[in-house]
Amino acid sequence: MMRNTFGNIFTLTTFGESHGEAIGGIVDGMPAGIDIDMDFIQHELDRRKPGQSRITTQRKEPDQVRLLSGVFEGKTTGTPIGFMVFNENQHPNDYNNLTGLFRPSHADYTYYNKYGLRDHRGGGRSSARITLSRVVAGALAKLVLRQLGISIQAYTTQVGNIKLERDYHLYDLSQIESSIVRCPDAEKSKEMEALILETKYAGDTIGGVITCVVKGCPVGLGEPEFGKLHAQLSGAMLSINAVKGFEIGEGFAGVSAHGSEQNDVFINKDGHVTTKTNHSGGIQGGISNGQDIYFRVAFKAVSTLLREQHTVDINGEETTFSARGRHDPCVLPRAVPIVEAMTAMVLLDNYLIGKTTHF
């Protein structure tokens, strides 16, 4: 299995399986001299971990991260940072009835055909649990970005048919973490929570949309022609489990507008060139223009349903099965920090292109 490394200069290589002994990774290209805030890194993991509320999977994992290298006296050394999180609440027997079956819309069939075998214990390498490595690396990237004045905030915009207005300026993003859905609108958050619980009790799942906003990004990140910043962000988001769509700026909603309505006109504001509007989402020609970067990521409903489904086994025989175990009825609340993490890695990787690695 190849392609387990993300990035160019700031890179993450991940390892582990959902019900293996541990999950971890190696971060290379981390600048030297960065203060390591372990409380912050752990907090980022806690935002992703299972069992954090009644609307998430009840798998109980402390997800305590251990940094194994690359840090001396509380600062990064510039050498690779190895880290590990042990799996402590495994229930592999919950998946014994899936040994010879292909679960609908999972990676079972494709993995089996590509590699000749698969890990049926929660999907093994294809499990969303692997994303905790991304969150650790993203937290490290955030520690660097905050020294550059760059902030990243993602939040739940839509669950099922319940959705917020598209304009993020309408909301107080400081309220995101006060909601277990990670939605900054208190009333919509309650509606979303009720829908998720209703879906959960029916043994079903539901999808939605996450919006991400980047503030303080300097002009000049991104490389034409095949290294456009929005293309890199898109690829990063689509590499997250269950993601099926990406749009930046006005996105699909902008296709009905004329160019005279969509163009971001340049103005001189306080002696600096900027744009009057930001329909482009902070990126023009594949390069950041100094405006806020904002985009949306669509997540499909979780494929594991706690109800009977039709499928076939590895011999092609039709059968039915009922999934067991602990699963999310909606991935949105726990996916918010993953979206932020992937964004942070993309931005830092691009910043480091042509820059010094000493801070």
Side-chain angles (χ1 to χ4, degrees):
M1 181 182 290
M2 301 183 292
R3 302 303 296 272
N4 294 294
T5 299
F6 178 84
N8 300 288
I9 294 177
F10 181 88
T11 65
L12 166 67
T13 301
T14 70
F15 67 85
E17 295 82 35
S18 177
H19 288 269
E21 185 171 343
I23 294 169
I26 297 175
V27 170
D28 203 0
M30 181 73 177
I34 302 297
D35 290 325
I36 289 296
D37 184 343
M38 286 303 301
D39 289 338
F40 172 74
I41 296 171
Q42 188 59 54
H43 173 69
E44 292 294 278
L45 265 183
D46 290 346
R47 296 170 67 212
R48 194 224 69 95
K49 75 177 182 180
Q52 60 185 274
S53 77
R54 59 186 173 276
I55 60 172
T56 65
T57 171
Q58 293 308 295
R59 178 172 178 171
K60 298 294 184 181
E61 291 282 2
D63 284 354
Q64 292 290 320
V65 63
R66 293 176 54 190
L67 301 189
L68 307 176
S69 62
V71 179
F72 180 67
E73 295 183 342
K75 292 183 181 293
T76 57
T77 62
T79 58
I81 297 177
F83 63 88
M84 185 179 296
V85 174
F86 286 97
N87 292 325
E88 298 184 8
N89 190 223
Q90 307 170 55
H91 287 179
N93 290 337
D94 285 346
Y95 302 92
N96 286 346
N97 66 319
L98 306 177
T99 302
L101 302 179
F102 297 135
R103 295 170 297 169
S105 291
H106 284 77
D108 299 350
Y109 175 76
T110 51
Y111 268 52
Y112 184 80
N113 276 270
K114 185 174 180 66
Y115 303 110
L117 51 84
R118 67 179 178 86
D119 187 343
H120 67 276
R121 304 167 303 167
R125 187 72 177 150
S126 68
S127 169
R129 180 154 176 75
I130 309 302
T131 58
L132 70 79
S133 295
R134 303 175 184 221
V135 174
V136 175
L140 291 169
K142 282 185 176 182
L143 291 176
V144 182
L145 294 177
R146 72 184 183 185
Q147 292 195 17
L148 303 172
I150 301 172
S151 67
I152 303 167
Q153 285 186 292
Y155 62 97
T156 299
T157 308
Q158 180 174 348
V159 173
N161 291 322
I162 302 169
K163 58 185 176 181
L164 306 186
E165 298 292 335
R166 294 172 62 87
D167 188 352
Y168 63 90
H169 295 96
L170 299 174
Y171 303 99
D172 180 0
L173 301 189
S174 68
Q175 298 302 306
I176 295 170
E177 292 301 313
S178 63
S179 158
I180 62 173
V181 187
R182 295 201 161 89
C183 170
D185 184 297
E187 290 304 313
K188 290 290 186 180
S189 179
K190 291 178 183 177
E191 293 179 30
M192 292 174 178
E193 180 183 340
L195 176 58
I196 294 172
L197 286 173
E198 177 186 336
T199 302
K200 174 183 177 180
Y201 296 144
D204 213 335
T205 60
I206 193 75
V209 177
I210 288 174
T211 294
C212 186
V213 180
V214 179
K215 294 181 176 291
C217 185
V219 179
L221 300 193
E223 300 290 331
E225 155 142 340
F226 299 111
K228 292 181 173 68
L229 186 58
H230 57 285
Q232 294 183 56
L233 287 168
S234 173
M237 297 308 131
L238 288 165
S239 75
I240 300 172
N241 306 54
V243 170
K244 289 296 184 180
F246 174 90
E247 60 174 354
I248 187 164
E250 293 297 319
F252 290 103
V255 302
S256 59
H258 292 92
S260 56
E261 300 170 296
Q262 282 281 94
N263 281 355
D264 294 318
V265 177
F266 288 104
I267 60 174
N268 187 315
K269 184 177 181 180
D270 301 325
H272 298 282
V273 174
T274 185
T275 56
K276 190 175 182 179
T277 55
N278 188 22
H279 300 297
S280 302
I283 300 174
Q284 294 171 326
I287 300 171
S288 60
N289 66 3
Q291 291 275 26
D292 291 351
I293 295 173
Y294 65 97
F295 56 86
R296 287 165 294 281
V297 186
F299 286 78
K300 72 180 181 69
V302 177
S303 299
T304 300
L305 311 182
L306 297 181
R307 56 167 65 177
E308 188 173 85
Q309 293 187 81
H310 183 274
T311 190
V312 300
D313 61 23
I314 58 176
N315 298 313
E317 298 294 327
E318 295 192 9
T319 185
T320 59
F321 79 102
S322 295
R324 300 194 294 264
R326 302 151 297 174
H327 306 280
D328 285 292
C330 178
V331 300
L332 276 296
R334 296 176 59 212
V336 164
I338 304 168
V339 168
E340 291 181 359
M342 297 306 295
T343 304
M345 285 193 281
V346 169
L347 295 180
L348 180 56
D349 193 31
N350 278 269
Y351 183 84
L352 292 175
I353 294 175
K355 300 290 184 180
T356 177
T357 56
H358 174 72
F359 276 66

